[in-house]
Amino acid sequence: MTLQAQQDEQLLAGEDWARADFYGLLSQLFSGNVTDEFLARFREIDRASLDITTPLGFEFSELLRVVSQFDSKQVNQEFVDNFIGVGRPEVMLYGSYFLSGFLNEKPLVGLRDDLAKLGLTRDEALVETEDHIAFLCEVMRYLILADDPPVPFAEQRAFFQSHVAIWYDRMCDDIEAAANTDFYKAVGRLARVFFDVETQSFDFESAV
């Protein structure tokens, strides 16, 4: 392997870790189980060190700003009020709803088939079905970091395009439009920009 190839591989590995970290972050934020310790890690980050000239850097900086105004109890209550609620939630976080208009429909069956092919199953202790955005982000994180064996970029792309790309924009629209998502508006904007970056990256790689 040439020195340039080694440098390219190291750069790619760094980018993969950054992608995995973002997926892990979004999975935790959309889990409804945010802790003060988790939020404290954000408060340790110097916003001035971020490159806010990029959409992703700007929205991450905005999330840091918003985090300083909330504790975990407030964040988790906002999650319950908007994403769980009594009866129909204000905002749905399930792919089946956006793809079919109903929960637990055909898109969920297809997702479970694809997860089975990857050797992945849902923890029975989880309340949410596999098409919940937090679960899907955790799957993407796994696909990026898996090394025994590694999951090819093409398979990551196929999973993302089939189960995230086709509905995340509408979910983010609903989060933005909800009246009482003071904290989660920032999360929704960050999610949209990050998923946009992933979409562009996957599209570019497929065109090469």
Side-chain angles (χ1 to χ4, degrees):
M1 181 182 292
T2 66
L3 177 59
Q4 183 61 52
Q6 290 176 332
Q7 291 173 338
D8 290 344
E9 184 175 283
Q10 291 169 353
L11 178 60
L12 179 60
E15 291 175 350
D16 281 347
W17 275 106
R19 292 173 59 222
D21 283 347
F22 261 104
Y23 277 114
L25 166 65
L26 292 174
S27 179
Q28 185 65 45
L29 288 170
F30 281 121
S31 72
N33 185 29
V34 172
T35 66
D36 281 326
E37 291 76 15
F38 180 78
L39 296 178
R41 291 164 55 191
F42 287 91
R43 298 189 181 99
E44 295 173 357
I45 300 173
D46 181 9
R47 289 181 66 207
S49 67
L50 300 176
D51 179 8
I52 61 172
T53 63
T54 67
L56 190 59
F58 176 80
E59 294 301 346
F60 187 66
S61 176
E62 283 296 289
L63 178 62
L64 295 184
R65 179 184 62 79
V66 173
V67 161
S68 67
Q69 304 170 16
F70 290 83
D71 60 29
S72 63
K73 183 178 180 180
Q74 293 170 308
V75 170
N76 291 327
Q77 187 59 54
E78 185 176 307
F79 185 92
V80 170
D81 292 344
N82 289 278
F83 306 123
I84 300 178
V86 178
R88 184 187 183 283
E90 180 73 15
V91 179
M92 289 287 190
L93 300 178
Y94 298 90
S96 287
Y97 171 79
F98 290 98
L99 298 176
S100 70
F102 300 94
L103 299 177
N104 302 319
E105 287 292 323
K106 188 175 179 179
L108 179 58
V109 176
L111 169 60
R112 286 173 173 166
D113 288 343
D114 285 348
L115 290 171
K117 292 173 185 176
L118 293 167
L120 301 176
T121 57
R122 168 177 165 269
D123 185 342
E124 292 300 324
L126 293 177
V127 175
E128 296 82 9
T129 49
E130 295 90 332
D131 58 336
H132 191 281
I133 190 61
F135 185 93
L136 292 169
C137 285
E138 191 57 35
V139 172
M140 285 300 302
R141 181 177 183 274
Y142 165 80
L143 296 180
I144 294 167
L145 296 181
D147 60 1
D148 188 24
V151 177
F153 195 73
E155 291 187 28
Q156 298 176 34
R157 178 176 64 239
F159 187 89
F160 178 84
Q161 291 177 337
S162 296
H163 303 297
V164 181
I166 51 180
W167 64 274
Y168 76 80
D169 210 39
R170 283 173 284 171
M171 178 195 74
C172 294
D173 284 344
D174 287 353
I175 295 172
E176 186 77 19
N180 299 308
T181 50
D182 298 324
F183 177 84
Y184 274 93
K185 276 185 172 59
V187 177
R189 286 192 290 264
L190 178 65
R192 186 199 302 275
V193 170
F194 174 66
F195 292 146
D196 284 349
V197 170
E198 284 285 273
T199 299
Q200 293 163 9
S201 176
F202 285 132
D203 288 347
F204 175 79
E205 289 294 331
S206 65
V208 173

